[in-house]
Amino acid sequence: MPVDILPEEQSILDEIQHYYGLQLTEKKNVENTIGYILKGGRVIGLGLPRKNISDMTLICKLRFIEKIDLNQNDIKKIPAEIKHLKNLKELRISANKLTSVPPCICELISLQKLWLSGNQIAKLPRELSKLSRLELLGLGSNKLQELPDEIGQLVSLKKIWVSGNNITKLPLTICNLPLLKKLDVSSNIITDIPHNIGELTGLNHLDISHNRIECIPNSIGNLASLTELISDFNHIKKLPETIYNLPLLNRLSIANNLLENLSEKISYLKELKGLELNGNCLFELPKSIAKLNKLHALVCSNNQFTIFPEQVSAIKSLITLIFDKNNITQIPSTLEQLCNLRVLRFNSNQLSEFPECIQYMPLLKEISIDGNLITKLPIWICTLKLNFIWKGGRDGKGTNVGINLYGNPFEEPPVEIVADGKEAVLDYFDEFKESKPEDSISLYEGKLLIVGEGDVGKTHLANRLIFDKTPPNISTQGIDIHQWMVNTPDINNFRINLWDFAGQAICHATHQFFLTSSSLYLFIWEARSDQDVTHFDYWLNIIKLLSNNSPVLVVMNKCDSRQKAIDEIAIQKEFPNVIGFHKVSALKDFGIDELKERIYKEMGSLPMIGKKLMKQWVKIRTELESKQDLHYITYKEYLNICSDFNIDNKKAARIAKYYHDIGVILHFEDNPILKKYVVLNPEWATDSVYAVVDNCNIQEKHGSFNFEELTNIWKDYADESHMFLIELMKKFELCFELPNNKGFILPELLNPTQVDFKWNYQDNLCFQYHYAFMPAGIITRFTVRQHDIIHEDKFWKNGVYIAFEDTNAIIICDPFAKTITINISGEDPKGLLAIIRKDIGVIHESLNHPKVEERIPCICSECKESGNTSFHLFSKIQKFKKMGKRTIECDNGNDISINELLGEYGMENDDSEDRERYKIYSENVIIGNNGNINPNKIENLNGNVNNNDANTINNSSTSSEKPWYEKIGVWVGIIVGLITIYTFLSTS
């Protein structure tokens, strides 16, 4: 029967509850839990984590207490009264504000576990040595510069965590601990490991990662019980020969060091299950590695391999094999011997053929060859019982189970079909399998886009190139598209689809919808303007960002009237996709022949040239292009056209998606209104947008319009197309509809002057985006996306006030500072911030991930009280967290708990740069997306409050840019950006 709490204990408990303003209940466990434990009427356990407690003196009245959890509070001092707690066995005061440990703690004669991580402790008292029963000592993420020699007298110690401090040297006495099993000194500034480390004969886990260690002492070979050795991120060039004498070692991680070779003695490690060698200078592996018949995971990413070491094929126990970021050109057929392999990754290598051996490895679940040079898929790939995945390294969404083919320049099937998934590829192969050679055709065509400011002679140059003449001095209105048939050095009758863009009508940049890797840009400028620096910066950044680094020729026009020198070397250093510079005069026909020859050469060398399609598909395209004067047809009419070529509805849908992807037509199968039509002339659709944006009446009304006004603006468009066109504008986040049929708003034309609103900036949750280059239209697209929760019509061109349930937010863009600032107040600021970040993230993804820094304000009291808040880079916080660090320093010199800081923003588990996880050889080991094996069930190495926090390190692998067809929103960003410039030029 349960025993009631004794009156004297109840009295103390009541006093505690009253003093701290809490209502406590009885629990079975108080670790990370609020409550108390009773035994024999006495309080033997008390948990008060995360309750802003600053003084624990009252708790010291519980003289029979055995366990106390005060993690994540505001305690600055351990009171002297603690010495009376003679029964105390476990004390948790991590993530508080302690700066010292009082000597009186040595009187806790029963103490077995002491957690003090995440404080600001700079020195330990020598009296700590009197804790003769202490088994666990957690001191991670403090300010310790040394450990006292007396630590060697804690003869009962089994586990020590001191990671994330400033320790430069370990005392030799630490090797006097006969029972020590786990030692974590990671993330310090240690240069040497004690030479007598081998005396810790009971040690089974040693983590010395993230230090400055250059060599491991020979005595390491005496650690006969060692099962895990982690020495990542040091300066180690060579492993000691004695390391191969460790009979029980099952995990060896030497990632991100300076290793140039491994000894043939690696085979002596008979129990090895995980070997992590990523981030070194290896170009070969020892032959004897083949004898590691218990090895389950081998990670060799980011080394210097050019030839895959075939001896690896003999390790039949392998489950995970990762060789990302090398220069391997071929995977040998012998790899099929790895009959137990589940995970195979060769991202970012130089593979030109899909590995044939994969078809004979039935247990494979995750295959990734992202970012190689493969142009052709084998037909047998469709027989594998795995789905196709199309996602780059930055995209952590979705599963990793399947075959990731992203970032390869596929030609057979075309990359657009591969990106569409396994079913599309299967259809493609089925058609070719049933066809004769004469039923297919190789396409030789590419796209040439002429961009630049207005009045620099783009149209004159386009006409000179194609027709060898110049037109009258009439500015291009919108987009002019021409088919230009040329003979390149290698190909006759090469079709160049030339797009001439009006400089001022930037909204017509919907041509981004048609960009593939088969695209060449001409950026035209003239020396008469003094704005060339601004223009170069804008246009070259836009091209670099939104066209997957398509090649650019920089062309100075009107060189007959004036010339100007530019720093070509500096431009190419900043924009490596700029491949040449030319000086021409379209009017005088100067330099045109040289420019033509360069265009022919570059067009002929673009990837994707000569891709094969069925003649039926090409005939359907020809038929569709012949009807461009109709501008659009119904989807039913499109199906009838396909039927005339013996194409059924299912394949017709696939063809429509393919031609939509490459920009021949527009068809949006996921929209109930838009899917009913097929736009044959995309220029017609974009011109309709320009007509609205350029309307003086709508400009004067700052983007407000109604359907009746559209009827007048679109008088040259068939009435039945109006609903389609307005839906198209909504689809691309150019406008939104006001409630109660009050009309529409085009945010890019809104008044830039901030509207009046009342806002209390005290106790806000604040978040910032800082852009290196800020594409226009991010905030207006965000406004469109969130228009349903706009608060009381509080929106303007550069900002919006939104309200969701009982939480409000102000989002303001400063285009000159290139920032977006978010302030949130109310009941659930973390939840609303998550919504805002998600939508801005989607916009960023559609813009090919512009370079942006996310910043979080400091949470320390000094920053809050001074009014001069410092901001932390979110990427730096993530980096520190993955390095095992627990704090980050603010501008005022205060160390801030990373978990607390992220917890304020609901981002404790935000691993957006490290989402990929791979289970490998046992239940207690996983692999992060850089190929590091991480302990999941090992106790927190810092004794920190987050017991699930395993050290995960990510090298932020560089991924291939997303192709245009995967980002419908890309052209939206261009449209909006160009609208912005257009409206700016119009008003000025």
Side-chain angles (χ1 to χ4, degrees):
M1 293 180 60
V3 179
D4 291 337
I5 186 170
L6 296 174
E8 60 269 30
E9 294 286 299
Q10 184 66 63
S11 176
I12 298 171
L13 202 58
D14 289 344
E15 190 177 357
I16 290 172
Q17 291 181 107
H18 176 73
Y19 184 77
Y20 296 127
L22 300 170
Q23 187 66 42
L24 299 177
T25 56
E26 187 176 355
K27 303 285 184 180
K28 292 184 178 180
N29 182 14
V30 292
E31 181 182 335
N32 203 30
T33 303
I34 297 171
Y36 61 90
I37 301 174
L38 278 182
K39 182 178 180 181
R42 302 285 187 184
V43 176
I44 63 164
L46 182 65
L48 295 173
R50 303 178 300 278
K51 302 309 294 183
N52 300 317
I53 292 170
S54 58
D55 186 353
M56 60 177 290
T57 305
L58 197 57
I59 297 170
C60 296
K61 290 185 177 183
L62 296 168
R63 301 298 170 85
F64 296 91
I65 199 161
E66 297 178 7
K67 297 180 180 182
I68 298 176
D69 186 346
L70 292 170
N71 285 342
Q72 290 181 279
N73 281 290
D74 297 317
I75 298 169
K76 296 181 179 179
K77 183 179 180 181
I78 297 176
E81 288 81 354
I82 200 170
K83 65 184 178 181
H84 301 302
L85 306 183
K86 303 300 183 182
N87 293 326
L88 191 64
K89 296 179 181 179
E90 296 185 20
L91 177 59
R92 299 171 182 266
I93 320 183
S94 292
N96 277 271
K97 298 178 179 179
L98 299 175
T99 57
S100 63
V101 180
C104 63
I105 204 168
C106 70
E107 299 187 40
L108 301 177
I109 56 176
S110 300
L111 196 64
Q112 296 175 6
K113 298 179 180 180
L114 177 60
W115 283 271
L116 297 171
S117 298
N119 284 284
Q120 300 175 39
I121 300 168
K123 191 173 183 180
L124 295 177
R126 299 184 183 278
E127 291 82 357
L128 200 69
S129 62
K130 296 180 181 179
L131 297 175
S132 58
R133 296 185 181 181
L134 195 67
E135 297 178 3
L136 181 153
L137 180 58
L139 288 162
S141 298
N142 277 283
K143 292 186 175 181
L144 296 173
Q145 295 183 4
E146 63 178 4
L147 295 176
D149 287 336
E150 287 77 6
I151 198 170
Q153 298 174 29
L154 297 173
V155 292
S156 297
L157 264 182
K158 296 179 181 179
K159 303 171 185 177
I160 301 176
W161 296 287
V162 289
S163 68
N165 282 278
N166 299 312
I167 298 170
T168 58
K169 188 177 181 180
L170 295 175
L172 297 177
T173 56
I174 202 170
C175 300
N176 297 338
L177 303 172
L179 302 180
L180 194 66
K181 294 185 179 298
K182 296 191 177 183
L183 175 60
D184 183 349
V185 296
S186 62
S187 299
N188 281 282
I189 48 178
I190 299 168
T191 56
D192 295 298
I193 297 298
H195 64 82
N196 57 337
I197 189 76
E199 296 175 12
L200 295 172
T201 54
L203 198 68
N204 56 42
H205 176 93
L206 175 61
D207 190 344
I208 56 175
S209 60
H210 292 277
N211 279 286
R212 300 176 183 177
I213 298 166
E214 294 185 1
C215 64
I216 298 174
N218 286 323
S219 65
I220 194 88
N222 297 328
L223 300 179
S225 300
L226 197 66
T227 59
E228 290 186 281
L229 174 57
I230 307 167
S231 185
D232 303 338
F233 290 94
N234 279 292
H235 303 153
I236 299 168
K237 294 182 179 180
K238 187 177 181 180
L239 296 178
E241 293 290 301
T242 56
I243 206 170
Y244 304 109
N245 298 335
L246 301 173
L248 301 180
L249 195 67
N250 63 47
R251 180 190 176 195
L252 176 60
S253 184
I254 314 290
N256 297 287
N257 278 276
L258 303 171
L259 290 181
E260 295 182 355
N261 57 69
L262 280 181
S263 169
E264 291 289 343
K265 292 182 179 180
I266 190 75
S267 60
Y268 295 0
L269 300 175
K270 301 293 186 182
E271 299 298 318
L272 202 61
K273 292 183 178 179
L275 179 57
E276 296 151 80
L277 301 169
N278 42 302
N280 280 285
C281 306
L282 300 171
F283 59 91
E284 63 180 0
L285 293 177
K287 299 292 184 183
S288 64
I289 201 170
K291 298 179 182 179
L292 295 177
N293 55 20
K294 291 187 179 181
L295 192 66
H296 288 179
L298 176 60
V299 184
C300 293
S301 300
N302 201 16
N303 276 281
Q304 297 177 15
F305 292 97
T306 56
I307 299 175
F308 179 76
E310 287 206 40
Q311 57 269 35
V312 171
S313 301
I315 312 175
K316 295 184 179 180
S317 57
L318 273 179
I319 294 173
T320 297
L321 180 63
I322 300 177
F323 268 80
D324 295 343
K325 288 187 175 180
N326 283 286
N327 291 299
I328 295 170
T329 58
Q330 189 175 13
I331 297 177
S333 60
T334 54
L335 201 68
E336 67 188 59
Q337 297 173 26
L338 301 180
C339 51
N340 292 303
L341 204 66
R342 268 78 162 179
V343 177
L344 178 65
R345 283 180 27 185
F346 277 82
N347 296 332
S348 301
N349 276 278
Q350 301 292 315
L351 301 177
S352 57
E353 295 181 355
F354 195 84
E356 291 283 332
C357 57
I358 286 176
Q359 61 185 313
Y360 307 113
M361 304 169 76
L363 295 185
L364 274 174
K365 299 297 181 184
E366 300 174 21
I367 304 167
S368 188
I369 54 168
D370 173 3
N372 280 277
L373 306 174
I374 300 170
T375 59
K376 187 175 182 179
L377 278 182
I379 294 178
W380 57 259
I381 194 172
C382 294
T383 65
L384 301 179
K385 296 179 180 180
L386 291 171
N387 289 324
F388 293 175
I389 303 171
W390 190 262
K391 68 174 187 175
R394 294 188 221 181
D395 186 0
K397 301 173 185 176
T399 180
N400 293 310
V401 176
I403 308 173
N404 188 5
L405 301 168
Y406 181 85
N408 286 278
F410 291 112
E411 297 176 4
E412 296 182 30
V415 66
E416 298 85 1
I417 290 176
V418 178
D420 199 23
K422 186 174 184 177
E423 188 177 351
V425 172
L426 189 58
D427 284 350
Y428 177 88
F429 284 139
D430 283 346
E431 286 199 55
F432 273 87
K433 185 169 58 177
E434 297 169 3
S435 66
K436 300 175 183 177
E438 60 268 21
D439 292 334
S440 64
I441 188 172
S442 296
L443 296 182
Y444 295 96
E445 67 175 305
K447 299 175 185 66
L448 176 66
L449 298 102
I450 302 182
V451 299
E453 295 299 304
D455 199 32
V456 295
K458 296 186 298 299
T459 300
H460 276 63
L461 180 58
N463 278 268
R464 178 64 73 181
L465 290 171
I466 301 171
F467 308 113
D468 197 24
K469 63 180 181 180
T470 57
N473 288 323
I474 300 175
S475 296
T476 301
Q477 296 299 311
I479 306 172
D480 286 339
I481 304 175
H482 305 280
Q483 289 185 16
W484 180 21
M485 303 303 296
V486 303
N487 295 325
T488 72
D490 301 313
I491 304 164
N492 291 330
N493 294 318
F494 190 104
R495 172 174 163 174
I496 296 177
N497 299 312
L498 187 149
W499 293 66
D500 173 21
F501 289 79
Q504 66 275 24
I506 309 264
C507 67
H508 287 178
T510 52
H511 68 291
Q512 291 293 330
F513 202 26
F514 299 89
L515 285 180
T516 66
S517 54
S518 298
S519 301
L520 175 67
Y521 273 93
L522 298 188
F523 167 54
I524 315 302
W525 69 291
E526 62 167 338
R528 291 188 296 174
S529 170
D530 293 327
Q531 299 295 318
D532 50 279
V533 174
T534 303
H535 297 160
F536 270 66
D537 180 70
Y538 176 78
W539 284 107
L540 295 182
N541 268 301
I542 279 291
I543 295 168
K544 179 181 179 181
L545 179 63
L546 296 175
S547 69
N548 296 319
N549 284 307
S550 290
V552 182
L553 293 174
V554 175
V555 181
M556 180 200 293
N557 193 20
K558 306 181 183 180
C559 68
D560 56 309
S561 58
R562 183 180 176 185
Q563 296 193 23
K564 189 174 185 179
I566 55 174
D567 191 340
E568 297 178 359
I569 295 176
I571 290 172
Q572 289 184 309
K573 183 178 180 180
E574 181 68 21
F575 303 100
N577 57 322
V578 172
I579 58 174
F581 300 85
H582 289 263
K583 298 177 182 178
V584 304
S585 170
L587 185 64
K588 303 292 186 180
D589 194 17
F590 173 80
I592 300 299
D593 289 340
E594 291 83 354
L595 180 58
K596 280 184 178 181
E597 290 301 318
R598 184 64 183 272
I599 291 171
Y600 300 161
K601 176 184 175 183
E602 299 302 334
M603 294 301 295
S605 62
L606 287 172
M608 302 298 294
I609 301 303
K611 60 185 176 184
K612 287 187 176 181
L613 281 182
M614 297 300 295
K615 282 186 178 178
Q616 283 178 308
W617 288 39
V618 178
K619 289 176 180 179
I620 290 172
R621 171 178 174 173
T622 302
E623 180 68 16
L624 294 175
E625 289 181 336
S626 72
K627 296 179 180 294
Q628 278 194 343
D629 289 344
L630 297 176
H631 304 309
Y632 68 96
I633 57 176
T634 66
Y635 188 65
K636 185 177 181 179
E637 290 172 318
Y638 163 76
L639 292 178
N640 289 336
I641 291 173
C642 291
S643 178
D644 292 340
F645 293 95
N646 298 316
I647 297 292
D648 61 31
N649 288 358
K650 181 181 177 182
K651 288 185 178 179
R654 188 79 64 197
I655 293 171
K657 187 177 188 311
Y658 171 71
Y659 282 141
H660 169 93
D661 284 343
I662 68 170
V664 173
I665 62 172
L666 297 180
H667 180 246
F668 304 96
E669 58 186 350
D670 60 343
N671 184 288
I673 295 176
L674 300 179
K675 72 178 183 180
K676 298 176 182 178
Y677 301 93
V678 176
V679 177
L680 305 177
N681 182 6
E683 184 180 352
W684 166 82
T686 58
D687 282 349
S688 70
V689 176
Y690 176 71
V692 177
V693 174
D694 198 38
N695 184 269
C696 295
N697 185 41
I698 294 178
Q699 289 176 0
E700 289 173 2
K701 295 196 302 177
H702 298 298
S704 175
F705 60 94
N706 55 44
F707 204 83
E708 288 70 27
E709 289 173 290
L710 286 180
T711 302
N712 183 53
I713 294 170
W714 290 337
K715 60 181 181 294
D716 294 331
Y717 290 75
D719 291 345
E720 60 269 21
S721 69
H722 292 183
M723 186 60 70
F724 172 86
L725 292 173
I726 192 65
E727 191 67 22
L728 193 64
M729 292 179 67
K730 289 158 68 175
K731 167 79 175 176
F732 295 119
E733 300 171 358
L734 295 175
C735 71
F736 63 86
E737 189 169 1
L738 294 170
N740 303 319
N741 296 317
K742 290 183 179 179
F744 303 88
I745 294 292
L746 206 160
E748 272 300 328
L749 296 181
L750 286 170
N751 194 327
T753 303
Q754 182 172 306
V755 301
D756 292 329
F757 59 86
K758 293 182 179 179
W759 187 269
N760 183 358
Y761 287 93
Q762 293 295 319
D763 299 321
N764 281 199
L765 194 67
C766 184
F767 196 83
Q768 290 185 345
Y769 293 92
H770 288 245
Y771 296 83
F773 169 73
M774 187 180 194
I778 294 175
I779 188 65
T780 52
R781 288 180 59 192
F782 176 82
T783 300
V784 172
R785 295 178 69 89
Q786 295 290 349
H787 73 273
D788 286 336
I789 57 172
I790 292 176
H791 180 66
E792 297 180 350
D793 293 334
K794 301 295 185 183
F795 59 89
W796 65 104
K797 182 175 181 178
N798 293 318
V800 61
Y801 186 150
I802 61 176
F804 183 68
E805 296 179 346
D806 295 321
T807 310
N808 301 330
I810 284 288
I811 302 94
I812 299 177
C813 170
D814 184 339
F816 297 103
K818 293 182 282 193
T819 62
I820 291 177
T821 299
I822 302 164
N823 281 282
I824 309 176
S825 66
E827 294 297 318
D828 187 17
K830 296 179 185 179
L832 187 52
L833 178 62
I835 293 171
I836 294 168
R837 288 186 71 217
K838 181 177 182 295
D839 264 1
I840 292 180
V842 170
I843 295 169
H844 284 167
E845 185 176 355
S846 75
L847 293 170
N848 221 355
H849 300 283
K851 288 184 180 179
V852 59
E853 292 177 345
E854 295 176 302
R855 299 187 182 184
I856 302 174
C858 187
I859 59 173
C860 78
S861 56
E862 189 172 348
C863 281
K864 288 181 177 179
E865 293 167 4
S866 68
N868 185 25
T869 303
S870 62
F871 280 78
H872 300 281
L873 293 180
F874 186 44
S875 58
K876 186 176 181 180
I877 296 172
Q878 286 181 313
K879 179 181 179 181
F880 273 33
K881 186 177 180 182
K882 289 164 187 170
M883 289 172 60
K885 294 184 180 293
R886 297 292 179 262
T887 62
I888 190 168
E889 186 174 317
C890 76
D891 291 349
N892 288 313
N894 298 317
D895 285 331
I896 311 302
S897 165
I898 287 176
N899 279 336
E900 275 192 73
L901 183 59
L902 294 179
E904 288 278 321
Y905 289 81
M907 301 175 186
E908 303 96 321
N909 299 314
D910 192 322
D911 55 355
S912 57
E913 295 182 10
D914 189 27
R915 289 189 182 95
E916 297 184 39
R917 294 286 193 274
Y918 294 97
K919 289 183 180 179
I920 52 170
Y921 57 89
S922 66
E923 63 177 358
N924 68 332
V925 181
I926 58 176
I927 282 189
N929 83 351
N930 68 329
N932 281 340
I933 305 174
N934 302 299
N936 190 31
K937 291 193 175 180
I938 295 172
E939 292 182 55
N940 184 312
L941 300 184
N942 293 312
N944 211 357
V945 293
N946 179 5
N947 290 314
N948 295 318
D949 182 19
N951 289 342
T952 302
I953 303 150
N954 179 14
N955 296 334
S956 299
S957 60
T958 304
S959 66
S960 304
E961 294 293 333
K962 286 196 173 183
W964 64 273
Y965 48 80
E966 201 178 59
K967 309 170 289 150
I968 289 178
V970 166
W971 70 291
V972 181
I974 288 288
I975 294 174
V976 177
L978 299 177
I979 290 174
T980 301
I981 295 181
Y982 174 71
T983 52
F984 173 77
L985 293 173
S986 298
T987 54
S988 59

